[in-house]
Amino acid sequence: MDSSTMLYNQLKSSEPFFLLAGPNVIESEEHIMYMAKSIKSITSKFGLKLVFKSSFDKANRTSSKSFRGPGMIEGLKILEKVKVAYDIPIVTDVHESEQCESVGRVADIIQIPAFLCRQTDLLVAAAKTGKIINIKKGQFCAPSVMVNSTEKIRLAGNENVMVCERGTMFGYNDLIVDPRNLEWMREANCPIVADVTHSLQQPAGRKLEGGGVASGGLRELIPCIARTAVAVGVDGIFMEVHNDPLNAPVDGPTQWPLRHLEELLEELVAIARVSKGKQRFNIDLTPVHD
């Protein structure tokens, strides 16, 4: 069995859930190494399977003034150092088909951004790396679309795919999280992940000094969405975490403070262990008579 399938099977069988976590973007090697060490230390206390997440290039930011990261070549070098130093798998995102082969040499999971969840050439290129593919559901998509997206991965010869809920557009500058999607996306017949941080973005909802806009967010509601997701019975939680979110260069308003990560995970583990959300409820509609 190859290493990707082994990891995929480990994630599928993780109890009570696995965690994809890390800062939104690579700010520096020093910062990434610190965050990886800190998050692993916390998740180890709960026996949670951790996949460390960070992006090397934020190519789809609202503003051209936004921080993008170190780029693919330097970013992958840093992520590989994390992988070796702390013996943890890596997830990072791609935006172009040409990136997939290089990213696949380092990343254990290749993430497809929500805006690109239907891009056939990108999905196929990612699938052909043989790595696990995490497809984020587009903010504009019905959950049923994920059945089609996962099919593209499988038809390219890769069975190791999972899908991620990250909210649905609700007007112009807001997202809503519909818990029904976490159930309906099971039709894709793969692990279900809930992104409890991006789903609380307020896209283009924050005006910048000197003009332009950036994404805002509702960090205070992250526990609410996370509690809901684990109660419903998701397989994995995606959560961006930062040690200084007020000064994070990207998506600061929706990154969870590192100082509160252990406290939140302790609660989520407790909820998940008593929930029967992963078990389908068998509804008996036969009449009841006195």
Side-chain angles (χ1 to χ4, degrees), residues 271-285:
I271 293 171
R273 291 201 186 282
V274 299
S275 171
K276 295 183 179 180
K278 290 186 179 181
Q279 303 173 25
R280 182 174 293 276
F281 200 105
N282 292 317
I283 301 174
D284 185 351
L285 295 176

Side-chain angles (χ1 to χ4, degrees), residues 44-56:
S44 295
K45 296 179 182 180
F46 303 104
L48 292 175
K49 181 67 177 180
L50 171 67
V51 181
F52 185 76
K53 183 271 169 186
S54 199
S55 299
F56 54 79

Side-chain angles (χ1 to χ4, degrees), residues 70-288:
M72 185 176 72
I73 295 175
E74 185 61 29
L76 289 177
K77 289 179 182 178
I78 293 172
L79 291 175
E80 189 166 28
K81 288 181 180 179
V82 168
K83 185 174 180 176
V84 172
Y86 300 114
D87 190 29
I88 47 179
I90 298 295
V91 56
T92 195
D93 42 343
V94 293
H95 293 86
E96 301 175 15
S97 300
E98 292 74 18
Q99 296 175 330
C100 292
E101 184 177 354
S102 296
V103 172
R105 296 192 192 107
V106 175
D108 301 276
I109 301 177
I110 295 178
Q111 184 164 282
I112 305 298
F115 287 130
L116 303 175
C117 69
R118 304 191 313 183
Q119 294 296 106
T120 301
D121 289 347
L122 179 61
L123 290 167
V124 170
K128 286 184 176 179
T129 66
K131 299 297 181 176
I132 300 169
I133 310 301
N134 183 35
I135 310 173
K136 288 201 166 185
K137 181 184 76 65
Q139 304 92 321
F140 47 88
C141 289
S144 56
V145 171
M146 291 297 96
V147 175
N148 295 45
S149 294
T150 55
E151 183 182 50
K152 293 177 182 181
I153 300 296
R154 292 178 176 126
L155 289 175
N158 188 341
E159 295 292 328
N160 302 328
V161 61
M162 51 194 189
V163 294
C164 181
E165 166 66 19
R166 58 96 72 225
T168 303
M169 288 303 300
F170 189 66
Y172 288 116
N173 303 118
D174 205 1
L175 295 165
I176 191 168
V177 180
D178 185 347
R180 297 177 300 175
N181 288 349
L182 301 173
E183 187 67 32
W184 287 333
M185 287 201 304
R186 294 187 192 280
E187 294 178 11
N189 193 29
C190 65
I192 306 300
V193 181
D195 181 342
V196 303
T197 45
H198 283 109
S199 58
L200 287 161
Q201 276 184 337
Q202 293 183 309
R206 183 163 55 98
K207 291 186 177 181
L208 300 174
E209 291 184 19
V213 292
S215 292
L218 301 169
R219 179 178 19 251
E220 66 276 11
L221 293 180
I222 290 173
C224 171
I225 300 304
R227 291 166 184 146
T228 302
V230 296
V232 169
V234 295
D235 301 286
I237 292 290
F238 178 105
M239 181 188 305
E240 292 193 333
V241 181
H242 202 284
N243 62 315
D244 185 12
L246 291 180
N247 289 303
V250 178
D251 279 355
T254 52
Q255 296 203 62
W256 187 246
L258 177 64
R259 68 170 64 252
H260 293 306
L261 180 60
E262 182 173 347
E263 179 184 3
L264 180 56
L265 287 179
E266 182 177 20
E267 180 182 356
L268 298 182
V269 167
I271 293 171
R273 291 201 186 282
V274 299
S275 171
K276 295 183 179 180
K278 290 186 179 181
Q279 303 173 25
R280 182 174 293 276
F281 200 105
N282 292 317
I283 301 174
D284 185 351
L285 295 176
T286 57
V288 174

